[in-house]
Amino acid sequence: MYNVKKITDDLFWVGGNDRRLALFENVYPIPEGISYNSYVLMDEKTVLLDTADSAIMELFTENVKAVLNGRKLDYIIVNHMEPDHSASLMRIAELYPEARIVTSAKAKTMMGQFFDFDMDRVDVVKEGDTLTTGRHTLSFVAAPMVHWPEVIFTFDQTDGTLFSADAFGTFGALNGNLFADEVNFETEWLASARRYYTNIVGKYGPQVQKVLEKAGGLNIRRICPLHGPVWRENIGWFIDRYQHWATCTPEDKGVVIFVGSIYGHTQNAADVLASAIADEGVHNVKVYDVSVTDASYLLAEAFRASHLVFASATYNNEIFTNMEHFLMELKEHAFHSRTVAVMENGTWAPQSGKKIRAMLEEMKDMTVLDQTVTFKSAPKEAQRADILALAKAVADAVKAS
Ligand code: FEO
């Protein structure tokens, strides 16, 4: 049974949800599900903006048919070729053989790689090109690396609607309410939006900044992303979140302690450190076990907070495996500009502190506090003073920021 949502008198959401997929991109846990958004514009010419993942292909095609209500489809605009939005393109192209496919040059190349259909149907557009469909004039904005190189945004100049591809998307299935102003976005969705951005697009901050600058010149009244709620109110607030994430600027003044512990002794020291930082007057200190919490959540928390501590056991003469993996994730996502502290453990040859520092040095503008607390096997009472001193240094750095 079709399930569509009306956005304006002539614009409709025709997407769907997947609550069964365990790992988005076969990497990121999505216990809250995911939506694949697609839109139909019913003007003198009809336009489908992006398609959908194969998981919802049947529902998606039913939705498109329901909205078209017997009319032919004139255009299929492909803003992004990643299969979570293009896997149904072949099916739609076959169902509507007269539809012209409008996309970027790079996306056309990718179409040929993914599919086998008549490329003469594909019209290439570039930045600044327009398509008039009757009442609406659509213009195209290049958005390379947000999140793939072929990405374009489509801007409806008539109604001020920005079809923003993956940008402004979030993890999380839609639950009946399509609009961000209909849900408790800040308390129930923001963490998912941050985790989505930082993991999927986080590496491409400079490219996102460029696109945000271009978007600043548009009179945006509505944002229709490819995942998650549609924005029609308080758009500036969400763009401001994006500006923080794109520039890797902390959203919150606070401390997050990441712990890699084998038998619990490093965890013990980290908890003592967390208590001592809290005693110094720092609120909302958070502690995460890197072996328990998936790295995608850890990455999002690192982007959120101003000050970080890495407390790790030594393992195979290296950084404890899951901590090393997390640090690699930070580096690969071009994480930068934080004040951090290090705590290390090792029963016979503590190495993790030195190696963590070396990995942090590969990231831009990281300030590593001089003190490193080192202990062997288990923290002893004699080392409490060292931990308290590190806590004071971290708290002082937070207060001075
Ligand atoms: Fe939602 Fe880059 O695909």
Side-chain angles (χ1 to χ4, degrees):
M1 184 182 290
Y2 73 81
N3 182 26
V4 303
K5 300 285 287 186
K6 183 175 171 180
I7 297 173
T8 66
D9 284 344
D10 56 7
L11 180 63
F12 299 84
W13 176 87
V14 292
N17 294 307
D18 189 345
R19 294 184 180 84
R20 290 186 169 192
L21 185 67
L23 297 175
F24 183 72
E25 292 185 355
N26 213 13
V27 180
Y28 306 109
I30 45 167
E32 65 276 48
I34 186 87
S35 76
Y36 303 110
N37 298 343
S38 171
Y39 304 92
V40 168
L41 182 64
M42 296 290 284
D43 203 358
E44 289 170 26
K45 300 284 187 186
T46 59
V47 185
L48 173 66
L49 291 116
D50 290 298
T51 66
D53 190 87
S54 57
I56 63 159
M57 194 184 308
E58 296 306 322
L59 171 68
F60 165 67
T61 52
E62 203 173 338
N63 285 349
V64 173
K65 278 183 201 165
V67 170
L68 288 175
N69 194 22
R71 288 182 62 184
K72 71 183 175 80
L73 182 61
D74 294 298
Y75 296 107
I76 303 166
I77 295 177
V78 176
N79 287 312
H80 185 17
M81 268 305 292
E82 193 166 9
D84 55 332
H85 310 295
S86 71
S88 301
L89 177 59
M90 187 86 181
R91 170 77 67 89
I92 286 286
E94 285 169 356
L95 277 174
Y96 299 99
E98 293 171 354
R100 301 294 304 171
I101 298 169
V102 179
T103 196
S104 67
K106 282 198 170 77
K108 182 176 181 181
T109 302
M110 291 179 185
M111 259 172 229
Q113 293 169 189
F114 278 110
F115 302 116
D116 296 305
F117 60 72
D118 177 12
M119 285 296 146
D120 289 344
R121 295 179 62 180
V122 181
D123 297 328
V124 167
V125 290
K126 60 185 186 314
E127 170 111 0
D129 285 354
T130 58
L131 173 68
T132 298
T133 58
R135 190 175 77 82
H136 294 263
T137 296
L138 309 177
S139 58
F140 302 99
V141 179
M145 301 320 296
V146 187
H147 134 240
W148 277 15
E150 87 296 359
V151 172
I152 53 172
F153 292 175
T154 300
F155 181 61
D156 179 351
Q157 296 177 358
T158 309
D159 279 358
T161 304
L162 181 68
F163 298 92
S164 61
D166 276 338
F168 305 107
T170 78
F171 290 135
L174 293 165
N175 301 299
N177 296 109
L178 177 64
F179 298 100
D181 55 274
E182 296 177 332
V183 298
N184 297 321
F185 194 89
E186 190 163 1
T187 54
E188 293 178 22
W189 284 80
L190 180 60
S192 291
R194 183 187 299 113
R195 188 165 70 91
Y196 171 85
Y197 173 87
T198 53
N199 283 277
I200 306 288
V201 196
K203 181 179 176 65
Y204 307 110
Q207 290 90 337
V208 174
Q209 283 175 63
K210 269 193 195 141
V211 173
L212 289 174
E213 275 168 32
K214 284 193 231 175
L218 304 173
N219 182 20
I220 299 171
R221 292 169 51 204
R222 193 176 296 104
I223 296 178
C224 292
L226 287 176
H227 304 283
V230 167
W231 288 79
R232 62 182 177 184
E233 290 180 12
N234 217 7
I235 290 171
W237 175 84
F238 199 35
I239 290 176
D240 181 61
R241 294 298 93 191
Y242 257 70
Q243 263 153 357
H244 279 80
W245 300 335
T247 53
C248 204
T249 302
E251 291 166 84
D252 297 325
K253 208 165 157 173
V255 180
V256 179
I257 303 174
F258 301 102
V259 189
S261 185
I262 304 166
Y263 290 104
H265 301 104
T266 311
Q267 180 71 65
N268 176 211
D271 279 329
V272 173
L273 179 72
S275 292
I277 292 171
D279 288 346
E280 291 286 341
V282 177
H283 291 184
N284 299 314
V285 178
K286 304 272 278 184
V287 180
Y288 291 97
D289 185 322
V290 298
S291 298
V292 173
T293 304
D294 182 79
S296 65
Y297 292 86
L298 304 176
L299 186 82
E301 281 293 84
F303 268 75
R304 179 187 64 77
S306 59
H307 292 71
L308 313 176
V309 179
F310 300 92
S312 179
T314 301
Y315 198 76
N316 286 332
N317 212 30
E318 297 287 343
I319 304 165
F320 179 59
T321 319
N322 291 343
M323 180 66 86
E324 187 174 34
H325 169 73
F326 172 47
L327 286 159
M328 269 174 50
E329 286 280 315
L330 287 173
K331 185 178 161 231
E332 288 170 6
H333 285 80
F335 185 74
H336 61 88
S337 306
R338 286 297 184 282
T339 299
V340 305
V342 176
M343 189 184 260
E344 66 175 349
N345 186 7
T347 291
W348 59 94
Q351 288 290 316
S352 51
K354 186 175 72 182
K355 298 204 168 183
I356 289 172
R357 282 175 179 271
M359 286 188 79
L360 292 169
E361 274 167 20
E362 294 175 34
M363 302 174 208
K364 203 173 69 163
D365 296 334
M366 300 294 279
T367 304
V368 186
L369 298 180
D370 289 337
Q371 299 96 324
T372 292
V373 173
T374 300
F375 55 94
K376 287 190 165 183
S377 304
K380 292 293 165 63
E381 201 51 44
Q383 288 173 301
R384 187 176 293 275
D386 293 345
I387 296 175
L388 296 183
L390 184 62
K392 184 166 186 328
V394 172
D396 286 349
V398 172
K399 289 170 196 166
S401 65

